[in-house]
Every structure is written in structure tokens, then in C-alpha cells.
């Protein structure tokens, strides 16, 4: 598919989404030249309507948007670009230009953090210390946290239940990583069961 730059007088809207967390980071516009440069350099370049020129995101701040994948919509007049952002996306210093209070897809970011701890272990990392004890200890921690979550649900405060649930999910992510399984694998399996 090719992009139809004629519909918007030479410009198409571009939605920028974090490839790991799926959070929408910003909206910009591209002309054909910006699109060609983005493809060639694998860094997002927009056409700035206020500056009336090409503008590579991060050219001054260093907060580049490295392209992971690009998708054209069904009408061929809008782009979705999934990126690996280097630093905050918004000029205000916020992660996203949409100023959300929190990242509701933080589980995917947490999975990436755990992966990073596996790939680059350090002595002060809890994940590394747990992993050094072996898969039996990791699985045992998931079991302990599951029991504590059930107890909190039945007998403790909502805050306790949220905290125990968070511990359970964190340790489950570590166990999944140890087994080489991603949250995407789990999501695909759950989706297939739903059909």
C-alpha cells in the first residue's frame, strides 16, 4: 500500500505509539519527503507546520523516536508508527504529549525492565538475586504471592489486596521470563480462548 498524500493537501496525520507499552505518545504530520526520510533513517521525521520545514523528533533534545514498525490505515491517509522512544516524547518533559497520569500499559514496560535485568544482571538487582536461586525459588515466590493475594482479598484492606496482587504479577512476569514466555504469548492464548 502507498500513502495518499493528496487528501490532506500533501500532509497525513501520524500517530506515534510506544512499541513496548502501546501508549500513544503524540500526533504529528508528514509530507512525502518526511516519510521518505523516516524510512531511510528509521527515526521519525515530521513536517512541522509551524516551522514550515522537516523536523526530526529529537534533533535538539536527543529524544529520538526510533522506528520499530509502520502501518498505513485502510483509507491510506493516516500512519501509525510504533517506536522505541529515547527519553520523553513531549517537549514538556512528559512521557506522552497526552499527559496521562500513569501508563495503563505499565505491565508491558515492567516486562521490558525484567528482560533488561535478565540480559544485564547486576548484584543489586532483586530480579538477579532471585534468578540466581533458580527456577524453583522463582516458582515458589509466585505461589507465596498467590496465597498472600487470596488472604488479602478475603481478610485485608483494598490497599493490601492491590499491593499483594502487584507482588504476584511482578513475580509471575519474572517466572514467565525465566521460562522464555512473554505477556504477548499469554495475551494471544487468552484471545484464542475467548473466540
Amino acid at each position: 500500500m502507498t500513502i495518499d498524500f493528496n487528501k490532506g493537501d500533501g500532509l497525513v496525520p501520524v500517530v506515534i505509539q510506544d512499541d513496548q507499552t502501546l501508549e500513544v505518545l503524540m500526533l504529528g504530520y508528514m509530507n512525502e519527503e518526511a516519510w521518505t526520510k523516516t524510512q531511510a533513517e528509521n527515526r521519525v521525521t515530521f513536517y512541522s507546520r509551524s516551522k514550515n520545514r522537516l523536523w526530526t523528533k529529537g534533533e535538539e533534545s536527543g529524544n529520538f523516536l526510533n522506528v520499530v514498525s509502520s502501518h498505513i490505515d485502510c483509507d491510506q491517509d493516516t500512519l501509525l508508527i510504533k517506536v522505541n522512544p529515547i527519553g520523553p516524547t513531549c517537549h514538556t518533559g512528559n512521557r506522552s504529549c497526552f499527559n496521562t497520569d500513569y501508563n495503563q500499559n505499565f505491565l508491558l514496560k515492567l516486562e521490558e525492565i525484567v528482560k533488561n535485568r535478565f540480559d544485564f544482571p547486576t548484584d543489586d538487582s532483586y530480579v538477579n538475586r532471585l534468578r540466581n536461586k533458580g527456577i524453583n525459588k522463582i516458582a515458589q515466590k509466585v505461589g507465596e504471592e498467590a496465597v498472600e493475594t487470596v488472604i488479602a482479598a478475603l481478610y485485608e484492606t483494598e490497599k493490601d489486596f492491590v499491593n499483594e496482587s502487584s507482588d504476584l504479577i511482578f513475580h509471575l512476569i519474572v517466572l514467565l521470563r525465566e521460562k522464555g514466555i512473554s505477556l504477548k504469548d499469554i495475551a494471544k492464548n487468552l484471545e484464542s480462548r475467548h473466540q
Side-chain angles (χ1 to χ4, degrees), residues 18 31 48 50 56 60 72 81 83-84 93 110 112 129 154:
D18 188 308
N31 61 10
S48 172
S50 59
T56 299
E60 294 176 12
I72 303 169
I81 299 181
V83 300
N84 175 16
L110 180 58
E112 186 64 23
R129 291 193 307 272
L154 296 175

Side-chain angles (χ1 to χ4, degrees), residues 96-142:
S96 166
C97 292
F98 295 100
N99 197 22
T100 53
D101 292 338
Y102 65 97
N103 180 358
Q104 53 191 337
N105 294 310
F106 182 73
L107 290 180
L108 298 172
K109 180 67 175 176
L110 180 58
E111 180 181 45
E112 186 64 23
I113 292 167
V114 168
K115 178 186 181 300
N116 188 272
R117 300 291 194 272
F118 270 63
D119 294 345
F120 305 101
T122 60
D123 292 338
D124 63 339
S125 164
Y126 172 74
V127 170
N128 187 51
R129 291 193 307 272
L130 183 59
R131 190 167 185 225
N132 285 339
K133 294 176 183 176
I135 191 166
N136 288 347
K137 182 60 175 176
I138 298 170
Q140 179 186 345
K141 281 298 291 180
V142 172

